[in-house]
């Protein structure tokens, strides 16, 4: 039904259970995911982001959050579905954009005021990946000649 109508069923990957159940969601018809970094961080770390006294514990770059995001991107790639990310993290932490691009994120959703900056950061990250791949090819060619 969904494919025939052009409608795509996506889910928000913002609760930790999606880390374990994504293949089941895909089997049930999920055609893409959007990782919500704000809620995912809050639920993984057990920290209420709306409480000022907890603000230092709310860390979207926490290793557990980074591992969860990478795992979701990997699972989406394995399932052959697109994977987007939304939330404040990509705009707040430019270094995260490099990781997301390297991991294979399909798209990044940011607020309007962060679009140009984010676009430029994505372009730079993609250029670094292309340059790295070209260097590896050159090194392989050099190794074969020797």
């Amino acid at each position: 039904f969904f494919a025939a109508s052009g409608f795509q069923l996506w889910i928000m990957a913002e609760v930790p259970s999606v880390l374990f159940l994504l293949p089941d969601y895909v089997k049930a018809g999920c055609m893409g995911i959007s990782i919500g970094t704000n809620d995912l961080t809050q639920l993984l770390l057990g920290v209420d982001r709306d409480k000022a006294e907890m603000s230092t514990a709310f860390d979207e770059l926490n290793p557990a959050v980074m591992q969860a995001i990478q795992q979701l991107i990997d699972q989406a790639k394995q399932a052959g579905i697109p994977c987007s990310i939304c939330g404040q993290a990509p705009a707040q932490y430019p270094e995260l954009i490099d990781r997301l691009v390297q991991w294979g994120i399909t798209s990044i959703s940011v607020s309007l005021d962060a679009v140009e900056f984010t676009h430029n950061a994505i372009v730079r990250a993609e250029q670094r990946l292309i340059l790295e791949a070209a260097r590896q090819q050159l090194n392989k060619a050099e190794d074969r000649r020797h």
Side-chain angles (χ1 to χ4, degrees):
F1 165 76
F2 294 130
S5 69
F7 177 82
Q8 288 195 351
L9 178 65
W10 281 48
I11 61 169
M12 288 295 298
E14 53 191 5
V15 294
S17 60
V18 177
L19 290 162
F20 305 101
L21 299 175
L22 184 57
D24 295 327
Y25 293 137
V26 171
K27 287 178 192 170
C30 172
M31 303 166 99
I33 64 170
S34 182
I35 302 169
T37 60
N38 298 338
D39 288 333
L40 185 62
T41 301
Q42 177 172 294
L43 294 171
L44 276 172
L45 301 181
V47 175
D48 185 349
R49 69 176 184 256
D50 296 324
K51 299 284 185 196
E53 56 273 352
M54 299 298 293
S55 64
T56 57
F58 186 82
D59 178 13
E60 292 167 306
L61 297 181
N62 179 285
V65 177
M66 291 293 94
Q67 185 174 347
I69 291 170
Q70 184 177 10
Q71 181 178 331
L72 286 165
I73 294 169
D74 288 344
Q75 287 183 19
K77 286 191 310 190
Q78 289 172 4
I81 62 171
C83 180
S84 182
I85 192 162
C86 62
Q88 297 169 347
Q92 274 185 310
Y93 308 104
E95 66 274 18
L96 177 57
I97 294 172
D98 277 344
R99 290 186 204 172
L100 293 170
V101 170
Q102 185 176 23
W103 293 337
I105 196 78
T106 305
S107 64
I108 299 174
S109 175
V110 294
S111 61
L112 187 57
D113 62 327
V115 168
E116 184 177 355
F117 171 81
T118 304
H119 176 265
N120 292 337
I122 292 168
V123 168
R124 286 190 303 274
E126 289 175 339
Q127 287 172 339
R128 280 191 286 278
L129 282 176
I130 291 167
L131 183 59
E132 176 66 27
R135 285 183 178 144
Q136 287 178 0
Q137 289 297 322
L138 284 173
N139 289 339
K140 286 180 185 176
E142 283 291 320
D143 290 344
R144 282 192 294 260
R145 279 189 252 164
H146 295 291

